[in-house]
Amino acid sequence: MKKIYQDLVSLPGVSSHEKYVRNYMRLHLEKLSEEVVEDNLGSIFGGINLSSNGPTVMMAGHMDEIGAMVKGIHKNGTIKMMAIGGISPEVMVSQHMNIVRDDGTFVPGVVGAKPPHLLRDNTSKQVSSFDDFHLDIGADSDDHAKSLGIKIGQQIVFENQFKESIDGKKVFSKAWDNRFGSAMAIDLLEDIDRSKLKCKLYAGANVQEEVGLRGAITSTYMINPDLFIAVDCSPCADTFEKTEVGGTLGDGFLIRFFDPRALMHQGMKKFIETLAEKHNIKYQYYSSLGGTDAAAAQLSRGGTLACTIGMPSRYIHSTTSMIHKDDYLAVKSILLKMIETIDWDVIKEIKSNV
């Protein structure tokens, strides 16, 4: 995998704080694109082959990660947090986190946990509600914390522990959901054979997906694509309960045929299946209880053909997740084939198979 993937997961960027990720993407998109467009919320995309008379294809990741914000500062100097995105409280205890100050530097902290010694009287309980967690940055008082540059509303991100598995096939990191899709946009623009394109292509990433798919609403309206492809990490259950539609690490990209907000367009499903089988690209089916930006995109203007190409990932929406390099290759391969294949005839065929 290219260095852009490690670079992007290492940056901080919870919802509404995506500027460091966006700045990195803009730097790359400006080198690779004919034009760079940005909506008023901060979603950013690079466009290529824009003189084409073909359909407009939009490929989108999202820049924001799950994390927290500073909600208050206690008298004893510890920090009151509020969750940004869906986080199970169970993953928080004793985790290292960083408050991102206004100048972009980090103030490290640890989420406080009661040791067993303080729980033996059977009246005390381990903190289990997000609202009760304290982030301890080593400040002695609220004034001390403020003197360190801590302010209400600053983002708090998990300490990254980026590393590869011992077999070299898997990669652990925070924020695969969804810096993977953000990096994939750059990756595609670097490697796509532009001589094969019969469509206009905009590739980039949205803001604020984790808090209601907000960026996709405005960016899709701005670009007005004929076909929208969300690229997002989807949770694998194979560690705990392997199922036919739960996602298995290493078994190929995910065709998300159902989620509560986007039932997959049947013409899109057939198009992706046929293309994957023609080119021997491994895929698996996925049924989700959550949504992606495809749900927002499909309702833009008069309706948009939309799909999600899923990257299998274990343990998303926690401090660290895991992906497989073979799945990365499968995702990239199907995206390249889709984008290189799409023209007005393909769009017409997809629509006819609804």
Side-chain angles (χ1 to χ4, degrees):
M1 295 176 67
K2 299 179 181 180
K3 187 174 179 291
I4 52 174
Y5 289 87
Q6 182 173 355
D7 288 348
L8 280 166
V9 292
S10 299
L11 293 172
V14 304
S15 306
S16 83
H17 289 77
E18 297 95 347
K19 67 177 181 179
Y20 300 109
V21 182
R22 180 167 52 253
N23 290 345
Y24 182 95
M25 293 200 66
R26 181 184 293 109
L27 184 66
H28 287 266
L29 293 176
E30 286 177 347
K31 297 174 183 177
L32 296 166
S33 309
E34 296 167 24
E35 72 167 354
V36 175
V37 296
E38 184 176 333
D39 70 13
N40 291 328
L41 294 185
S43 302
I44 189 167
F45 292 83
I48 64 171
N49 205 40
L50 301 183
S51 61
S52 169
N53 293 321
T56 299
V57 176
M58 182 176 176
M59 181 255 121
H62 68 83
M63 291 180 276
D64 55 323
E65 63 187 291
I66 56 106
M69 283 188 193
V70 176
K71 187 177 182 180
I73 305 173
H74 297 287
K75 289 293 185 182
N76 66 359
T78 59
I79 308 303
K80 184 174 179 62
M81 300 185 292
M82 62 185 299
I84 301 298
I87 308 176
S88 298
E90 292 84 356
V91 307
M92 294 295 299
V93 176
S94 298
Q95 295 301 319
H96 288 231
M97 301 190 79
N98 295 304
I99 300 175
V100 185
R101 292 186 288 195
D102 292 352
D103 63 359
T105 58
F106 287 177
V107 174
V110 61
V111 180
K114 291 182 179 180
H117 314 65
L118 301 182
L119 299 172
R120 287 174 180 160
D121 60 7
N122 295 322
T123 61
S124 297
K125 293 183 178 180
Q126 187 63 265
V127 173
S128 59
S129 168
F130 205 101
D131 289 339
D132 295 329
F133 288 127
H134 291 228
L135 182 66
D136 191 340
I137 61 171
D140 301 320
S141 66
D142 54 348
D143 288 338
H144 187 193
K146 292 173 184 176
S147 74
L148 296 173
I150 306 303
K151 297 178 182 178
I152 302 294
Q154 288 172 332
Q155 65 170 316
I156 308 173
V157 295
F158 293 108
E159 178 75 17
N160 202 11
Q161 303 291 334
F162 185 97
K163 54 177 63 75
E164 290 190 355
S165 61
I166 198 68
D167 66 0
K169 296 294 288 185
K170 296 93 178 176
V171 191
F172 310 86
S173 180
K174 78 168 181 66
W176 280 130
D177 179 14
N178 185 26
R179 302 293 159 64
F180 177 83
S182 303
M184 182 56 72
I186 298 170
D187 199 348
L188 290 177
L189 289 175
E190 288 179 341
D191 290 357
I192 199 162
D193 186 344
R194 302 185 184 208
S195 68
K196 293 182 178 180
L197 289 183
K198 299 177 282 292
C199 65
K200 302 181 184 76
L201 174 64
Y202 284 91
N206 291 312
V207 297
Q208 298 191 42
E209 190 268 359
E210 298 291 1
V211 290
L213 317 182
R214 298 174 187 179
I217 297 171
T218 52
S219 69
T220 311
Y221 190 92
M222 172 182 67
I223 292 174
N224 191 23
D226 298 289
L227 191 148
F228 177 94
I229 308 169
V231 178
D232 207 339
C233 283
S234 298
C236 291
D238 61 328
T239 308
F240 310 103
E241 48 184 32
K242 191 170 181 178
T243 69
E244 291 184 357
V245 293
T248 298
L249 214 65
D251 277 4
F253 76 90
L254 300 170
I255 295 178
R256 183 184 286 239
F257 69 94
F258 172 87
D259 72 45
R261 296 184 60 181
L263 276 68
M264 191 172 193
H265 186 285
Q266 293 305 295
M268 284 296 306
K269 181 172 178 287
K270 182 177 180 181
F271 169 61
I272 295 168
E273 290 168 339
T274 302
L275 207 56
E277 289 164 8
K278 177 181 178 181
H279 296 282
N280 297 312
I281 303 169
K282 287 180 68 175
Y283 68 91
Q284 49 191 318
Y285 294 106
Y286 182 67
S287 174
S288 178
L289 297 179
T292 74
D293 280 338
Q298 70 177 348
L299 301 180
S300 182
R301 296 180 182 256
T304 303
L305 291 174
C307 66
T308 299
I309 298 298
M311 174 66 178
S313 181
R314 290 177 180 164
Y315 321 124
I316 67 168
H317 282 234
S318 68
T319 61
T320 303
S321 52
M322 181 196 304
I323 63 172
H324 197 295
K325 292 181 182 179
D326 290 350
D327 296 330
Y328 152 71
L329 293 174
V331 169
K332 183 175 178 180
S333 296
I334 193 62
L335 289 171
L336 287 170
K337 293 301 180 185
M338 289 173 68
I339 294 166
E340 290 170 358
T341 301
I342 293 167
D343 57 17
W344 282 119
D345 288 338
V346 171
I347 295 290
K348 182 179 179 180
E349 182 182 1
I350 290 172
K351 289 181 177 179
S352 71
N353 287 325
V354 69

